Amino acid sequence: MTILAFETSCDETSAAVVRDGKILSSAVSSQIELHAEYGGVVPELAAREHLRNLIPVAQTALREAGVQPEQLDAVAATRGPGLPTALLIGFKAAQAVAFALRKPFLGINHHEAHLYSPWIRGEPPVADFSDFQRNVSLIVSGGHTILALVESELKHRVLGSTVDDAAGECFDKAGKLMGLSYPAGPEIDRLAEQGNPKAFDFPRPLLNDPGDNFSFSGLKTSVRYFLRDNPNLLNDKRRLCDLCASVQAAIVDVLVAKTIRAAKRNHVRCVTASGGVTCNSALRRDLACACKREGFALRLAEKGLCTDNAAMIGILAGRKLLAGVELASLDQEINPSWELA
Ligand code: KG4
Ligand code: ZN
């Protein structure tokens, strides 16, 4: 089963070819530099960039996979959630390809694709569900922060999510206040490595709340007040590193504590994590420590599969086809606010 997948939900134009659970190619054209100038993703610019890049990216994916369009068995694309105009480009292009080739088409939920991405491993990456276990999964990205309980493959339910900003958004907005360029998450991660996470005390929102929801907008506001009260701090590299480490620690402490608590309460033996923020070194390290301490198996999405990519869309589409899910019609529409149930 050979699948061509597209992902254009935000600011990465991506196409991938997946065959029988193995990623044959994964091409990603990032728009980060384009949006950096504006301090965040500009939807109209993102859509134009997807339009410009989608066909070359798809051609690259097919060429690198050594696959001709006629050899495809199905086409898949992200249906939502995401920026409406951005989603439209990849979704409608995928439907057009499916129509031209008379192949089945699948519209995939972006978060569901992240959710199963920790099960993709190796080189070339292969979807390996052989030791699949019931798990609690943290999906943590620029747009969302979700805790889900995965009962069995393709059977999951959301336990909680952010009530305001996502964790990645908090990294990005706090970084913007510090004068770092968009997206600031990776830069904060880098600077934090040289800083003291205990230097400044930031709030850990909802840390002691027994529920599974998150809230990060207050933390961002406290960084704003902190910088208002310490205007010269940004001129001192060492203290900037301390600030990055302290903000990162506040975010990571909440993510780790709430994930572990949900895992214990739901009596799972496995924890997984995915999404762009799962690239964060402190999150990877602290989740590994906590899981080891508490006796949970841990599967983190590989770094290259944490940020948005079409390979995870293709892998999930393949699993859905195997499971016999109903195919989408070619007049299906995008669903920009399609939350994971
Ligand atoms: O999953 P993703 O590529 O896009 C969304 O679906 O949102 O995640 C992007 C987010 C951005 O907020 C970015 O700052 C964050 O992931 N991110 C990181 C790191 N790498 C990416 N945050 C913290 N540390 C990192 N190393
Ligand atoms: Zn994502």
Side-chain angles (χ1 to χ4, degrees), residues 170-171 173-175 177-178 188 192 195-208 215-231 233-234 238-255:
C170 185
F171 269 109
K173 288 181 175 169
L177 294 168
M178 298 177 210
I188 291 183
N196 173 10
K198 294 199 168 77
F200 309 113
D201 191 22
F202 285 101
R204 269 80 172 145
L206 298 186
L207 179 68
N208 297 316
S215 165
F216 289 105
S217 73
L219 175 52
K220 170 197 65 193
T221 308
S222 61
V223 174
R224 182 187 300 277
Y225 289 141
F226 177 86
L227 286 169
R228 181 197 62 190
D229 298 340
N230 298 273
L233 181 138
L234 298 180
R238 194 180 53 78
R239 296 187 80 208
L240 173 63
C241 291
D242 285 345
L243 176 60
C244 288
S246 302
V247 172
Q248 176 175 276
I251 299 172
V252 168
D253 280 358
V254 173
L255 294 174

Side-chain angles (χ1 to χ4, degrees), residues 169-188:
E169 198 175 352
C170 185
F171 269 109
D172 296 340
K173 288 181 175 169
K176 191 172 177 182
L177 294 168
M178 298 177 210
L180 306 179
S181 62
Y182 173 85
E187 182 71 350
I188 291 183

Side-chain angles (χ1 to χ4, degrees), residues 78-83 87 108-115 139 141 143-148 156-164 166 213 320 334-341:
T78 305
R79 183 177 172 218
L83 300 171
L87 284 169
I108 296 291
N109 181 293
H110 181 85
H111 296 320
E112 193 178 359
H114 276 306
L115 185 64
I139 309 170
S141 71
H144 288 266
T145 304
I146 297 172
L147 269 177
H156 44 256
R157 73 182 162 86
V158 169
L159 300 169
S161 58
T162 183
V163 296
D164 42 53
N213 284 341
K320 285 189 175 259
I334 56 164
N335 189 347
S337 52
W338 189 15
E339 296 305 334
L340 202 61

